[in-house]
Amino acid sequence: MTRLSLLVLSAWTSVMQCRAIKLAQLDQLEDHVSANMTRSSYTLVACYDSSYTQTRDTRPLSDAYWSCDISECMDWVAGYTYFGFGCPMNSCFECRRGNAINDNDAVLGCEECGGKAEVVQMCSGSPVLKYNGIDWLMGGRHRDPVYTAAKPGSQREFCPSVTATRPLSVTAAPQ
């Protein structure tokens, strides 16, 4: 084969490999989306005050990790009774899960988990995000919304006074 033929063959092979990889990724994405679409109904258990004291950490749910994607968080919490969010920073947030809720936590009004908290300090991300047509309360500093699965088709607004297009104002912490 001539050198030009080898270059063309090599380029063609690279293009085909890239397309095969993209098709495989699309296949995985479709599976990922369809898995999340089946989780269609949830209810807000409560908005909790998770203030830390020297004697105890009062997070309502024990397991947590940082995520920047609600879909990824929903996959991580699958199989647990409760899940929630907290401390949104930029486009990321705490993703929490558990089978029991810490009973030392004070229950607050839902607005507290949708941006009403007076001091947000480092938790300055969006307090409400729209995902799969639902306005999810993302919480704030020591404000942790906890959700659980509900009967399919029973989805309602979590907090009617707070939406992704009409979040409550957030006040920055004094310096």
Side-chain angles (χ1 to χ4, degrees):
M1 281 186 144
T2 67
R3 183 177 172 100
L4 179 61
S5 297
L6 287 174
L7 286 173
V8 169
L9 181 60
S10 178
W12 180 251
T13 303
S14 293
V15 167
M16 295 309 290
Q17 286 174 340
C18 283
R19 288 184 186 221
I21 290 170
K22 284 187 184 220
L23 285 174
Q25 288 172 339
L26 284 175
D27 236 10
Q28 289 173 350
L29 181 61
E30 286 175 7
D31 291 344
H32 189 66
V33 170
S34 64
N36 281 306
M37 295 305 281
T38 62
R39 301 183 198 126
S40 59
S41 295
Y42 302 93
T43 186
L44 177 67
V45 174
C47 173
Y48 292 94
D49 178 352
S50 61
S51 298
Y52 176 81
T53 66
Q54 290 185 349
T55 57
R56 67 188 184 342
D57 182 1
T58 63
R59 295 290 184 181
L61 301 174
S62 57
D63 292 343
Y65 89 106
W66 280 93
S67 178
C68 298
D69 185 326
I70 291 180
S71 179
E72 174 187 78
C73 179
M74 297 295 273
D75 286 341
W76 184 70
V77 304
Y80 285 79
T81 305
Y82 303 103
F83 68 96
F85 310 110
C87 196
M89 293 174 55
N90 299 320
S91 60
C92 298
F93 51 88
E94 283 182 351
C95 178
R96 296 192 157 272
R97 67 183 183 187
N99 287 319
I101 298 172
N102 179 347
D103 61 1
N104 292 323
D105 298 325
V107 174
L108 304 169
C110 65
E111 295 86 1
E112 289 285 327
C113 283
K116 184 180 178 188
E118 293 191 21
V119 177
V120 295
Q121 293 175 336
M122 68 181 190
C123 305
S124 58
S126 178
V128 183
L129 291 178
K130 187 171 281 298
Y131 172 72
N132 280 351
I134 301 168
D135 290 322
W136 292 90
L137 306 178
M138 301 305 291
R141 180 158 174 87
H142 301 300
R143 300 297 188 262
D144 294 285
V146 174
Y147 302 92
T148 191
K151 180 179 166 187
S154 65
Q155 184 66 53
R156 294 190 191 120
E157 287 181 276
F158 296 124
C159 191
S161 61
V162 179
T163 67
T165 56
R166 191 184 65 230
L168 295 169
S169 63
V170 176
T171 305
Q175 299 296 332

